[in-house]
Amino acid sequence: AEKTEYYLSSDVKLSSEHIEQVKKIVSKVEGKKLGVIGDSITYGSGLTTGDKRWWEYVKDRYGFASVYSNAEIGRAFTQDGMMSTRFTQKIKELPNDLDVIIVFGGVNDRAFNAPIGTMDDEPKEDNQGISFCSALRYTAEYLLTNHPNAQIIFMTPLPCNQGLGFNGKNANGHRLQDYADAIAEMCRSYGFDMVDLNRVGGFYVWSQNWLNTYMEDGIHPNNEGTKIYVHKGILPKLDSILVERT
C-alpha cells in the first residue's frame, strides 16, 4: 500500500527535490520514537484548541511512530518555577527507548536572572545557585550517559518582547541572545545538533503591530506565529539534520 505522504502535511509548498529529501527521512524515522522536553511553548501556551504545537508539525512531517512530550509552564534549566520543575530533574523522566530527543528552553532562565557562567563550570543540577552553563552541562552529560543511542538536538529560545523588552538585560546584565549563545557553545562542545530559533527570520518582536498579530503576550506565539518559526526555523533545519543522522 502507498505510504502516507507525511511530508505534504505542512502549509509550505516544497520543491520536488526537497520532497525527495524528506521522503528519505520518512523512510528512516518511520516507527521511531521522538521525545521533546520544554517549557510553556512546547506545552502549547498561546495556542487554542485545535492548533498544532511545534512538535506535532515535526511528527506529521516525518512520521514518527510516537511523541513523548514533557513540558511545563515556566520551566527553566537552573531552578524550579512556581508551576514547574527544572530541566535537570525532568530529563530523568524521559523514556529509555527514545530515538530522537529535542530540548527546547532557556527563556525562563533569563527571567529568573540566572548567571550564565562559562563552559568551565562544573555540571550541576541544584535548584538555584548554579550557572546556566553548569545546568546545560549537566543536561548534556545526563542525556549522553542515559540515552547513548538517541540523536539529541537542542533548540535556542525564540525572540520575545515581554517584561525586559525584546533586547533588554536582566539583573545580571544578560540578554536573551546571551542564553542562546551559551546553548550554541554547549552544542559545539558536546557535538549536538542545534536549531537556532533565536536567530530565525520573520520574528519582528520589536513591532507592536507584529506582536498583536502573531504573539499577543510578547512571548508565546499564536497559531500563525507558530507556523512562522516551524516552517522557517525548525523543519528546514531538521530536514538537514535528520537526513544526515537518522
Side-chain angles (χ1 to χ4, degrees), residues 100-103 140 143-144 147 150-154 192-193 245:
V100 178
I101 298 171
I102 301 178
V103 184
L143 292 174
L144 287 171
H147 299 272
Q151 182 175 2
I152 300 167
I153 303 166
F154 280 77
F192 294 136
D193 289 304
R245 297 284 299 276

Side-chain angles (χ1 to χ4, degrees), residues 151-171:
Q151 182 175 2
I152 300 167
I153 303 166
F154 280 77
M155 301 202 303
T156 61
L158 285 164
C160 64
N161 189 350
Q162 186 189 65
L164 297 172
F166 75 93
N167 199 33
K169 295 181 180 180
N170 63 14

Side-chain angles (χ1 to χ4, degrees), residues 88-100:
T88 53
Q89 285 295 301
K90 300 302 282 188
I91 53 173
K92 299 172 184 178
E93 297 177 3
L94 292 170
N96 293 325
D97 60 348
L98 296 174
D99 299 292
V100 178

Side-chain angles (χ1 to χ4, degrees), residues 30-154:
E30 210 164 31
K32 292 190 175 183
K33 298 178 179 180
L34 170 66
V36 301
I37 182 166
D39 52 31
S40 54
I41 294 178
T42 300
Y43 180 81
S45 297
L47 302 176
T48 59
T49 302
D51 294 343
K52 291 168 65 173
R53 290 160 287 191
W54 66 264
W55 49 266
E56 292 174 292
Y57 285 97
V58 173
K59 182 180 186 296
D60 289 348
R61 171 84 144 214
Y62 306 115
F64 283 97
S66 63
V67 180
Y68 170 83
S69 176
N70 189 316
E72 291 178 311
I73 296 170
R75 178 175 291 163
F77 284 93
T78 51
Q79 68 179 76
D80 295 339
M82 290 187 294
M83 298 183 289
S84 64
T85 303
R86 61 199 182 278
F87 278 89
T88 53
Q89 285 295 301
K90 300 302 282 188
I91 53 173
K92 299 172 184 178
E93 297 177 3
L94 292 170
N96 293 325
D97 60 348
L98 296 174
D99 299 292
V100 178
I101 298 171
I102 301 178
V103 184
F104 182 20
V107 67
N108 292 307
D109 295 277
R110 175 206 186 196
F112 291 152
N113 299 311
I116 288 180
T118 72
M119 289 302 295
D120 292 327
D121 293 348
E122 181 182 351
K124 292 182 180 179
E125 55 86 33
D126 304 345
N127 183 23
Q128 301 184 8
I130 62 173
S131 73
F132 188 61
C133 287
S134 178
L136 287 177
R137 290 196 62 198
Y138 182 90
T139 302
E141 295 187 11
Y142 180 91
L143 292 174
L144 287 171
T145 299
N146 292 277
H147 299 272
N149 298 317
Q151 182 175 2
I152 300 167
I153 303 166
F154 280 77

Side-chain angles (χ1 to χ4, degrees), residues 184-203:
E185 183 178 359
M186 181 275 295
C187 287
R188 286 192 296 270
S189 297
Y190 287 92
F192 294 136
D193 289 304
M194 182 186 71
V195 179
D196 191 3
L197 292 179
N198 192 252
R199 290 170 175 80
V200 68
F203 253 60

Side-chain angles (χ1 to χ4, degrees), residues 199-220:
R199 290 170 175 80
V200 68
F203 253 60
Y204 307 114
V205 295
W206 48 266
S207 166
Q208 189 58 52
N209 287 336
W210 188 92
L211 292 174
N212 292 341
T213 304
Y214 298 104
M215 188 189 266
E216 290 97 327
D217 66 356
I219 194 168
H220 301 109

Side-chain angles (χ1 to χ4, degrees), residues 7-15 18-19 61 227-228 230-232 235-236:
Y7 50 88
L8 297 180
S9 63
S10 79
D11 297 334
V12 175
K13 183 70 174 178
L14 304 179
S15 68
H18 199 162
I19 287 175
R61 171 84 144 214
K227 291 177 182 179
I228 293 175
V230 166
H231 294 307
K232 295 194 72 172
L235 296 182

